[in-house]
Amino acid sequence: MRIDVISIFPEYFAPLDVSLMGKARDKGILDVRLHQLREWAHDVHKTVDDTPYGGGPGMVMKPEIWGAAIDDVIASEEALPRMIVPTPSGRPFTQAVALEYAAEPWLLFAPARYEGIDSRVMIEYGTHLRLDEVSIGDYVLAGGEAAVLVMIEAVARLLPGVLGNAVSATDDSFAPGAMENLLEGPVFTKPPVWRDHEVPEILLSGHHGKIARWRRDQALRRTLQKRPELIERGDLSAADLKTLDTFRADGDPVAD
Ligand code: JDK
């Protein structure tokens, strides 16, 4: 997958050299190309922002600079990329959106600063290519770069060959269909006792059927406790419903 990012802070993307993302790039699965927006600014000061029409606080990014940069980046190829502009007012970024992006051959991210980009840029490119304005959550960042890092990491780990274990990604809590949107249960490794905390006995038993049921019960318990809105009764078996009733009756006082 090719990913272009146009930003006034290309240094912000240094984490993509590290760990899973770094390895995916070394393997050629991920081709990330960073572009400095200011290289398309015409004046001596490399100005990319101006005062907002109608007044108000802050500055707005100039449309001509973004237009020139996007035109140059997309000029090289026959096909067009899917373009993604982070904004607090965008479509929510979810695991389903990550899966949608992971199926694309080419993504172009346009993270802004200040109060955002002149809206005519989104109108213009919305007619030329598939453009999404996307929010990574209901809080306000200082700019779009952190949102782009989040989205690239969520997308890239879904690409074939990026995760060591081929089944890891489809098993995710929020993978549509996979675990029916239940939260993951608790996990443990050696030693069996640490600071008086014991690993649940069932996990040491070797009874694979009972372990699978216990893990499912823990996922149901955690979801009921932390994210009850995720539970869709239609997806649940009779055994699942019995588990939920037990936890509801108990009031289930637990640490996690
Ligand atoms: C891209 C600049 C900072 C943008 C205006 C918004 C209501 C008016 C500051 N999920 C998410 N959160 N934040 C972003 C994001 C913020 C960005 C940019 C993405 C570019 N900023 C910014 C807009 C405002 N303000 C809240 C009142 C303020 C994405």
Side-chain angles (χ1 to χ4, degrees), residues 39-206:
E39 287 179 13
W40 283 274
H42 344 285
D43 68 311
V44 280
H45 297 108
K46 306 282 179 198
T47 310
V48 296
D49 62 323
D50 205 338
T51 53
Y53 273 123
M59 300 292 272
V60 173
M61 296 187 100
K62 292 163 67 61
E64 317 93 296
I65 322 290
W66 275 105
I70 296 163
D71 286 351
D72 280 353
V73 167
I74 68 182
S76 58
E77 304 286 330
E78 185 81 1
L80 290 167
R82 182 97 176 247
M83 185 173 163
I84 300 143
V85 181
T87 165
S89 59
R91 159 191 192 197
F93 183 72
T94 63
Q95 190 65 20
V97 177
L99 282 157
E100 207 182 286
Y101 291 167
E104 299 281 343
W106 187 9
L107 302 175
L108 167 57
F109 288 96
R113 283 272 149 176
Y114 313 105
E115 302 292 303
I117 305 171
D118 184 304
S119 294
R120 292 170 293 180
V121 172
M122 277 62 76
I123 303 283
E124 168 72 3
Y125 288 95
T127 66
H128 285 114
L129 40 70
R130 289 166 302 150
L131 185 149
D132 291 348
E133 293 184 75
V134 174
S135 165
I136 64 158
D138 290 342
Y139 38 79
V140 182
L141 300 168
E145 283 81 6
V148 169
L149 272 182
V150 164
M151 288 188 272
I152 291 178
E153 189 162 307
V155 170
R157 68 180 285 282
L158 298 173
L159 300 176
V162 171
L163 289 188
N165 180 355
V167 298
S168 303
T170 52
D171 223 43
D172 293 343
S173 284
F174 296 100
M179 193 74 161
E180 295 121 314
N181 280 346
L182 295 184
L183 301 182
E184 71 280 14
V187 294
F188 304 90
T189 186
K190 289 168 277 303
V193 182
W194 176 76
R195 297 190 182 177
D196 285 349
H197 303 284
E198 294 179 5
V199 170
E201 199 179 305
I202 181 75
L203 296 177
L204 313 176
S205 72

